Amino acid sequence: MTERPPQPGPRKDPVDVIVDQWAEVRPDLDTAGMEVFGRIFRLSRAMGDRMERAYARFGISRGEFDALATLRRSGEPYTLSPRQLSAALMLTTGGMTGRLDKLERAGLLRRSPDPHDRRGLQVTLTDRGLQLIDEAVGAGLAAQTEALASLEPERAAHLAGLLRDLLAATEK
C-alpha cells in the first residue's frame, strides 16, 4: 500500500479516514475527488444545520428564508410572481405554494392579483417580512463569518475562487 503524504493543516478528519480505508483495500483507486467532494458535502451539511439554527430564531426555515430573501433581493417593491420565485428557487409550483401559504399566514408576505395578467398573482414582502428578512440575513451572514474565521481572508477569497471554478465546471 502506498501511504498518502501527510496533509498540511489540522489533524486527520473523517474524510481522511475514509480515504485511508479505501487506499488499504483498493490502492488502485484515485480518491482525489472523494477528498474534495466528501469535505464539500460534510461542510454543506454542517453549515446547513448552522443556518437552520440561525433562521429558527426568526421562526423560519432555510427554505422560507430563501423565498423571503429572493423577494428582498429583487428590490423594491419586493414583488415577484410565484412562477418567478419557483424558478429562482428551483422548486415546483406545488412546493412553492406550501411555502408561500405558511409565510402568508405568518404575515411576512401577501399574494395579490397581478394587474398585468388577470390569471396571475404577485407575491410581495410585507413590512414585517422586510424587517424579518433583513434581520435573518444578518444572522445568517454572522454564522457564515464565524465559520470562515478559521481562515485568513486571503485563503477564504482563494477558496471562494476555487469553488467558483469547480462549480462552473460541474454545471456545464
Side-chain angles (χ1 to χ4, degrees):
M1 173 185 95
T2 307
E3 268 287 314
R4 291 184 316 132
Q7 302 297 309
R11 69 190 190 295
K12 283 192 173 201
D13 67 14
V15 175
D16 289 319
V17 173
I18 292 167
V19 168
D20 287 346
Q21 289 170 333
W22 278 115
E24 183 72 29
V25 299
R26 289 286 310 275
D28 58 307
L29 294 177
D30 176 2
T31 56
M34 188 181 294
E35 291 188 63
V36 171
F37 294 104
R39 288 184 177 96
I40 289 172
F41 176 74
R42 287 171 177 265
L43 180 60
S44 177
R45 233 179 26 201
M47 285 308 299
D49 291 346
R50 281 190 189 195
M51 302 312 288
E52 279 290 349
R53 287 191 299 274
Y55 302 144
R57 296 189 338 237
F58 301 94
I60 58 174
S61 68
R62 277 177 48 201
E64 293 156 357
F65 169 87
D66 289 342
L68 295 171
T70 300
L71 288 166
R72 177 63 169 106
R73 290 190 320 266
S74 73
E76 287 192 56
Y78 314 116
T79 299
L80 294 171
S81 72
R83 184 177 307 278
Q84 289 171 311
L85 274 170
S86 293
L89 298 175
M90 296 181 288
L91 281 176
T92 64
T93 53
M96 187 87 260
T97 298
R99 213 172 269 185
L100 295 178
D101 287 346
K102 183 174 181 204
L103 292 168
E104 188 172 35
R105 280 192 305 271
L108 302 175
L109 58 80
R110 72 176 167 280
R111 286 183 270 201
S112 58
D114 184 336
H116 308 293
D117 179 359
R118 288 185 307 142
R119 297 169 297 151
L121 290 175
Q122 291 182 328
V123 179
T124 305
L125 278 178
T126 61
D127 289 342
R128 183 169 167 221
L130 179 61
Q131 180 182 351
L132 183 135
I133 193 59
D134 281 349
E135 291 176 22
V137 75
L141 287 170
Q144 292 170 354
T145 299
E146 179 184 324
L148 275 178
S150 65
L151 298 178
E152 295 295 322
E154 299 80 25
R155 290 184 74 199
H158 183 69
L159 177 59
L162 292 172
L163 290 171
R164 181 184 303 106
D165 293 346
L166 186 56
L167 183 60
T170 60
E171 288 186 332
K172 287 182 180 177

